Amino acid sequence: MLTISNAEVIYNRVILVLKGLSLHVPEGKIVALLGANGAGKSTTLKAISGLLKSEEGEVSAGSIDFMGERINNLDPEDIVRKGIFQVMEGRRVFEDLTIDENLTVGGHTRKDSAGFKRDKELVYDYFPRLRERRNQLSGFLSGGEQQMLAIGRALMARPRLMLLDEPSLGIAPLLVQEIFQLIKKINTEEKTTILLVEQNANIAFSICDYAYIMEGGRVAMSGTTEQMKSNNDVKEFYLGMGEGKEKKSYRELKSYKRRKRWL
Amino acid sequence: MDITFLLQLIINGLVVGSIYALVATGFVIIYKASSALNLAQGEFLMVGAYICLNLLSKYNLPFWQAILITFAFSAILGILIERLILRPLIGSHLISVIMVTLGLSSILKALVQLAYGTDTIPFPEVFPSAPVQIGPIPVSQGYLYAIGCVTILVTVLTMFFKYSKTGVAMRATASSQQVALTMGISVKKMFAISWAISAIVSAVGGILLGTIRGGIDMSLSFMGLKVLPVVILGGLDSILGAIVGGVIIGVLENLSGGYVDPLVGGGAKEVAPYIALILILMFKPYGLFGKKKIERV
């Protein structure tokens, strides 16, 4: 459905952030994109959704194809109309709009008013907490509820591909579980393909079908969830399950650095 | 001092204040959408009034037709200005935007002068002028119509921003442009719409002022400056603030005109709003309803 090949992204015409990234998101699946801070995960999502433009960035090489169509450097509003919807990092609800209005804005590109109304109810069915407070300002919601609103708002646009940027960020662990179960549910019931960016590899592996690990603007490793979970490096660096039980010495830390450079 | 005089002043204040409120609303709409301070707001008002006058007296169109054409003209003017002058400035410093609107105001003023001269031109009587007796005081019908028009327009605008899809999208854009982009909202289109609405609203203000005063001249454009204390008082980003601020400044101006002017020999009426502006900035820099925002530089 979505194929990125050898994409390079440059900010301000100087800073090269993505250095030849390739990845593929098959239809109907959940694909996770993992990696440390500054690996280029969010930049990848912004390259897909066209948001780079508003940040002085551009896709300078390579290609991004969605449903067989080139979408490099299109305007974000056109990309939303093609069916890709990004939920930005840190929730970013419209704080001085009510919950209901936030959902209305999410469905901004919709033309069918009947489907629009039906989907609003659908979102409220997925997130009953939001229905209770539909007329409250969304700025007063808790972090977890704002994340639900952000996902619900995305659902209003009926996207074919949803880009989720760190939905677990700054949210209580129990709520994180709940939100990820709902993401899975949306994936199966609404047939929405999902590209998920996460730092929390554990929780991502609990719902994704396929995972990519990014480092320094490239894909360092990829595989199905099972393959990834059983990989020793992934275990050690991302799941916190090192083989040695005892505390590691500084010398081994150096080897960590060496081993971490997969490419 | 008798009570009739006071009431008379207050009513005058309310009428002028409601027009301030209208123009201030236009100002706030642009500021909220694109954080540009439009110092040419008064000229929008003036241009609207002159266009309407032209249609009424030269082409003898019925009032409602003249109004509709004026609206269309104002909307196009607003969109053009946004498109040609403001859009290239997106992302540049606030000061440059302010200077550009200042320049724009001079240009518009000069164009109107070129076309219509500097003399006061009588404005045809649109509303019946016979005064109505309200309690002890006679009130011109034009005043009542003006307040009525402003109330209707402000209500329509409020409904628009509250319930229509475009209105809500505009508020979303004001809240965060980047997130609005991810919703598939065309931020540029929202800017254009806000300039169009703002120009229309100002034109209504101009037409109302014309009918109330019975004639229009270049001094109409000073309304743009009068709007500054109004929006500072109400809060730059609050429509409710613009309305309340407009009424307060209008009444304040008339009261000081009625009571202070005789003592000091005139001038208090013109100065009072700006004294208020300075006081507000000292004690409540975000205005009555403005949003407090911590800016990190």
Short mmCIF file of all heavy atoms in Angstrom, two decimals, chain B residues 245-284:
data_model
loop_
_atom_site.label_atom_id
_atom_site.label_comp_id
_atom_site.label_asym_id
_atom_site.label_seq_id
_atom_site.Cartn_x
_atom_site.Cartn_y
_atom_site.Cartn_z
N GLY B 245 -15.57 45.15 24.61
CA GLY B 245 -14.63 46.27 24.54
C GLY B 245 -15.20 47.40 23.69
O GLY B 245 -15.09 48.57 24.05
N GLY B 246 -15.82 47.06 22.57
CA GLY B 246 -16.39 48.07 21.69
C GLY B 246 -17.42 48.91 22.42
O GLY B 246 -17.40 50.15 22.38
N VAL B 247 -18.34 48.23 23.11
CA VAL B 247 -19.40 48.94 23.81
C VAL B 247 -18.81 49.81 24.93
O VAL B 247 -19.17 50.98 25.07
CB VAL B 247 -20.42 47.92 24.38
CG1 VAL B 247 -21.41 48.63 25.28
CG2 VAL B 247 -21.14 47.23 23.23
N ILE B 248 -17.87 49.24 25.68
CA ILE B 248 -17.28 50.02 26.78
C ILE B 248 -16.59 51.27 26.25
O ILE B 248 -16.81 52.38 26.73
CB ILE B 248 -16.25 49.17 27.57
CG1 ILE B 248 -16.98 48.04 28.30
CG2 ILE B 248 -15.50 50.04 28.57
CD1 ILE B 248 -16.04 47.13 29.09
N ILE B 249 -15.76 51.10 25.22
CA ILE B 249 -15.03 52.25 24.68
C ILE B 249 -16.00 53.28 24.11
O ILE B 249 -15.85 54.49 24.31
CB ILE B 249 -14.02 51.80 23.60
CG1 ILE B 249 -12.92 50.92 24.21
CG2 ILE B 249 -13.41 52.99 22.89
CD1 ILE B 249 -11.93 51.67 25.07
N GLY B 250 -17.05 52.81 23.44
CA GLY B 250 -18.04 53.73 22.86
C GLY B 250 -18.69 54.58 23.94
O GLY B 250 -18.79 55.81 23.82
N VAL B 251 -19.13 53.92 25.02
CA VAL B 251 -19.80 54.64 26.09
C VAL B 251 -18.81 55.57 26.79
O VAL B 251 -19.10 56.74 27.04
CB VAL B 251 -20.42 53.64 27.10
CG1 VAL B 251 -20.95 54.38 28.32
CG2 VAL B 251 -21.55 52.87 26.43
N LEU B 252 -17.64 55.04 27.08
CA LEU B 252 -16.60 55.85 27.75
C LEU B 252 -16.31 57.12 26.97
O LEU B 252 -16.23 58.23 27.52
CB LEU B 252 -15.32 55.01 27.87
CG LEU B 252 -14.10 55.70 28.44
CD1 LEU B 252 -14.25 55.83 29.94
CD2 LEU B 252 -12.82 54.95 28.10
N GLU B 253 -16.18 56.95 25.65
CA GLU B 253 -15.87 58.08 24.79
C GLU B 253 -16.95 59.15 24.88
O GLU B 253 -16.68 60.34 25.05
CB GLU B 253 -15.76 57.55 23.36
CG GLU B 253 -15.13 58.46 22.37
CD GLU B 253 -15.18 57.82 21.00
OE1 GLU B 253 -16.28 57.76 20.41
OE2 GLU B 253 -14.14 57.36 20.53
N ASN B 254 -18.21 58.71 24.80
CA ASN B 254 -19.30 59.68 24.83
C ASN B 254 -19.47 60.33 26.19
O ASN B 254 -19.79 61.51 26.29
CB ASN B 254 -20.61 59.00 24.41
CG ASN B 254 -20.78 59.07 22.91
OD1 ASN B 254 -21.20 60.08 22.37
ND2 ASN B 254 -20.37 58.00 22.23
N LEU B 255 -19.26 59.55 27.24
CA LEU B 255 -19.37 60.12 28.58
C LEU B 255 -18.30 61.18 28.79
O LEU B 255 -18.58 62.27 29.28
CB LEU B 255 -19.25 59.04 29.65
CG LEU B 255 -20.46 58.11 29.79
CD1 LEU B 255 -20.24 57.11 30.92
CD2 LEU B 255 -21.73 58.91 30.03
N SER B 256 -17.08 60.87 28.40
CA SER B 256 -16.03 61.88 28.61
C SER B 256 -16.26 63.08 27.69
O SER B 256 -15.93 64.20 28.04
CB SER B 256 -14.63 61.29 28.42
OG SER B 256 -14.61 60.41 27.34
N GLY B 257 -16.86 62.81 26.52
CA GLY B 257 -17.21 63.92 25.65
C GLY B 257 -18.25 64.82 26.30
O GLY B 257 -18.20 66.04 26.21
N GLY B 258 -19.21 64.20 26.97
CA GLY B 258 -20.31 64.97 27.56
C GLY B 258 -19.92 65.67 28.84
O GLY B 258 -20.35 66.80 29.09
N TYR B 259 -19.12 65.01 29.68
CA TYR B 259 -18.86 65.56 31.01
C TYR B 259 -17.49 66.23 31.14
O TYR B 259 -17.33 67.18 31.87
CB TYR B 259 -18.99 64.47 32.07
CG TYR B 259 -20.42 64.01 32.24
CD1 TYR B 259 -20.80 62.74 31.86
CD2 TYR B 259 -21.38 64.88 32.76
CE1 TYR B 259 -22.12 62.32 32.00
CE2 TYR B 259 -22.69 64.48 32.91
CZ TYR B 259 -23.06 63.20 32.52
OH TYR B 259 -24.35 62.80 32.65
N VAL B 260 -16.49 65.69 30.47
CA VAL B 260 -15.14 66.23 30.67
C VAL B 260 -14.83 67.34 29.67
O VAL B 260 -14.20 68.33 30.02
CB VAL B 260 -14.08 65.10 30.57
CG1 VAL B 260 -12.71 65.65 30.92
CG2 VAL B 260 -14.46 63.94 31.48
N ASP B 261 -15.32 67.18 28.45
CA ASP B 261 -15.04 68.18 27.42
C ASP B 261 -15.37 69.61 27.85
O ASP B 261 -14.54 70.51 27.67
CB ASP B 261 -15.78 67.83 26.13
CG ASP B 261 -14.91 67.01 25.20
OD1 ASP B 261 -13.74 66.74 25.59
OD2 ASP B 261 -15.37 66.63 24.11
N PRO B 262 -16.59 69.85 28.42
CA PRO B 262 -16.90 71.23 28.82
C PRO B 262 -15.91 71.78 29.85
O PRO B 262 -15.66 72.98 29.89
CB PRO B 262 -18.29 71.11 29.45
CG PRO B 262 -18.84 69.83 28.93
CD PRO B 262 -17.69 68.93 28.67
N LEU B 263 -15.33 70.91 30.67
CA LEU B 263 -14.41 71.38 31.70
C LEU B 263 -13.05 71.76 31.13
O LEU B 263 -12.41 72.70 31.56
CB LEU B 263 -14.21 70.30 32.77
CG LEU B 263 -15.47 69.80 33.48
CD1 LEU B 263 -15.15 68.68 34.45
CD2 LEU B 263 -16.13 70.98 34.21
N VAL B 264 -12.58 70.94 30.16
CA VAL B 264 -11.22 71.17 29.67
C VAL B 264 -11.19 71.87 28.31
O VAL B 264 -10.13 72.09 27.75
CB VAL B 264 -10.44 69.84 29.56
CG1 VAL B 264 -10.26 69.23 30.94
CG2 VAL B 264 -11.16 68.88 28.63
N GLY B 265 -12.38 72.17 27.80
CA GLY B 265 -12.42 72.86 26.52
C GLY B 265 -12.26 71.94 25.32
O GLY B 265 -11.69 72.31 24.31
N GLY B 266 -12.74 70.72 25.42
CA GLY B 266 -12.77 69.84 24.26
C GLY B 266 -11.56 68.96 24.14
O GLY B 266 -10.50 69.22 24.71
N GLY B 267 -11.72 67.86 23.41
CA GLY B 267 -10.60 66.96 23.16
C GLY B 267 -10.64 65.70 23.98
O GLY B 267 -10.06 64.68 23.60
N ALA B 268 -11.32 65.73 25.14
CA ALA B 268 -11.33 64.56 26.01
C ALA B 268 -11.94 63.36 25.30
O ALA B 268 -11.50 62.23 25.47
CB ALA B 268 -12.10 64.86 27.29
N LYS B 269 -12.95 63.61 24.49
CA LYS B 269 -13.64 62.52 23.80
C LYS B 269 -12.66 61.72 22.95
O LYS B 269 -12.70 60.49 22.92
CB LYS B 269 -14.74 63.11 22.94
CG LYS B 269 -15.62 62.08 22.29
CD LYS B 269 -16.75 62.74 21.50
CE LYS B 269 -17.58 61.66 20.83
NZ LYS B 269 -18.66 62.21 20.03
N GLU B 270 -11.80 62.44 22.27
CA GLU B 270 -10.87 61.75 21.36
C GLU B 270 -9.77 61.04 22.13
O GLU B 270 -9.25 60.02 21.69
CB GLU B 270 -10.24 62.75 20.38
CG GLU B 270 -11.11 63.13 19.20
CD GLU B 270 -12.31 63.98 19.62
OE1 GLU B 270 -12.15 64.79 20.56
OE2 GLU B 270 -13.40 63.80 19.04
N VAL B 271 -9.42 61.62 23.28
CA VAL B 271 -8.26 61.09 24.00
C VAL B 271 -8.63 59.93 24.92
O VAL B 271 -7.84 59.00 25.10
CB VAL B 271 -7.59 62.23 24.81
CG1 VAL B 271 -6.47 61.68 25.66
CG2 VAL B 271 -7.06 63.28 23.87
N ALA B 272 -9.85 59.97 25.44
CA ALA B 272 -10.25 58.99 26.46
C ALA B 272 -9.95 57.53 26.09
O ALA B 272 -9.38 56.80 26.90
CB ALA B 272 -11.72 59.18 26.80
N PRO B 273 -10.30 57.09 24.86
CA PRO B 273 -10.04 55.68 24.56
C PRO B 273 -8.56 55.32 24.68
O PRO B 273 -8.22 54.22 25.13
CB PRO B 273 -10.48 55.53 23.11
CG PRO B 273 -11.43 56.64 22.88
CD PRO B 273 -11.00 57.77 23.76
N TYR B 274 -7.68 56.26 24.32
CA TYR B 274 -6.26 55.92 24.34
C TYR B 274 -5.70 55.94 25.75
O TYR B 274 -4.78 55.18 26.07
CB TYR B 274 -5.49 56.86 23.41
CG TYR B 274 -5.99 56.69 22.00
CD1 TYR B 274 -6.88 57.59 21.44
CD2 TYR B 274 -5.63 55.57 21.26
CE1 TYR B 274 -7.39 57.39 20.17
CE2 TYR B 274 -6.13 55.36 20.00
CZ TYR B 274 -7.01 56.28 19.45
OH TYR B 274 -7.51 56.07 18.21
N ILE B 275 -6.30 56.85 26.61
CA ILE B 275 -5.90 56.80 28.02
C ILE B 275 -6.29 55.42 28.57
O ILE B 275 -5.52 54.76 29.26
CB ILE B 275 -6.56 57.93 28.81
CG1 ILE B 275 -6.01 59.26 28.31
CG2 ILE B 275 -6.33 57.77 30.30
CD1 ILE B 275 -6.62 60.47 28.97
N ALA B 276 -7.51 54.99 28.20
CA ALA B 276 -7.96 53.67 28.64
C ALA B 276 -6.98 52.61 28.15
O ALA B 276 -6.58 51.71 28.90
CB ALA B 276 -9.36 53.40 28.11
N LEU B 277 -6.57 52.73 26.88
CA LEU B 277 -5.65 51.74 26.31
C LEU B 277 -4.37 51.63 27.12
O LEU B 277 -3.91 50.53 27.45
CB LEU B 277 -5.34 52.15 24.86
CG LEU B 277 -4.30 51.33 24.09
CD1 LEU B 277 -4.84 51.05 22.71
CD2 LEU B 277 -2.98 52.05 23.96
N ILE B 278 -3.82 52.80 27.50
CA ILE B 278 -2.56 52.76 28.24
C ILE B 278 -2.77 52.12 29.61
O ILE B 278 -1.99 51.27 30.04
CB ILE B 278 -2.00 54.20 28.38
CG1 ILE B 278 -1.55 54.67 27.00
CG2 ILE B 278 -0.83 54.23 29.36
CD1 ILE B 278 -1.16 56.12 26.96
N LEU B 279 -3.90 52.49 30.26
CA LEU B 279 -4.17 51.91 31.57
C LEU B 279 -4.33 50.40 31.48
O LEU B 279 -3.80 49.65 32.31
CB LEU B 279 -5.42 52.55 32.18
CG LEU B 279 -5.25 54.00 32.62
CD1 LEU B 279 -6.56 54.56 33.15
CD2 LEU B 279 -4.16 54.09 33.68
N ILE B 280 -5.07 49.95 30.47
CA ILE B 280 -5.28 48.50 30.35
C ILE B 280 -3.96 47.78 30.14
O ILE B 280 -3.69 46.75 30.75
CB ILE B 280 -6.20 48.17 29.15
CG1 ILE B 280 -7.55 48.85 29.32
CG2 ILE B 280 -6.40 46.69 29.00
CD1 ILE B 280 -8.23 49.11 28.01
N LEU B 281 -3.13 48.35 29.27
CA LEU B 281 -1.86 47.68 29.00
C LEU B 281 -1.01 47.60 30.26
O LEU B 281 -0.21 46.68 30.43
CB LEU B 281 -1.10 48.41 27.90
CG LEU B 281 -1.59 48.08 26.50
CD1 LEU B 281 -0.85 48.90 25.47
CD2 LEU B 281 -1.44 46.60 26.19
N MET B 282 -1.18 48.61 31.15
CA MET B 282 -0.40 48.57 32.38
C MET B 282 -0.90 47.50 33.33
O MET B 282 -0.11 46.82 33.99
CB MET B 282 -0.43 49.94 33.08
CG MET B 282 0.52 50.94 32.43
SD MET B 282 0.15 52.61 32.91
CE MET B 282 0.75 52.62 34.57
N PHE B 283 -2.23 47.34 33.41
CA PHE B 283 -2.76 46.46 34.46
C PHE B 283 -3.24 45.11 33.95
O PHE B 283 -3.27 44.14 34.68
CB PHE B 283 -3.89 47.16 35.21
CG PHE B 283 -3.41 48.37 35.94
CD1 PHE B 283 -3.72 49.65 35.50
CD2 PHE B 283 -2.60 48.22 37.05
CE1 PHE B 283 -3.26 50.76 36.17
CE2 PHE B 283 -2.14 49.33 37.72
CZ PHE B 283 -2.46 50.60 37.29
N LYS B 284 -3.66 45.05 32.70
CA LYS B 284 -4.19 43.78 32.21
C LYS B 284 -3.74 43.59 30.77
O LYS B 284 -4.53 43.73 29.83
CB LYS B 284 -5.72 43.79 32.30
CG LYS B 284 -6.28 42.52 32.92
CD LYS B 284 -7.73 42.65 33.25
CE LYS B 284 -8.38 41.33 33.55
NZ LYS B 284 -7.79 40.13 33.00
#
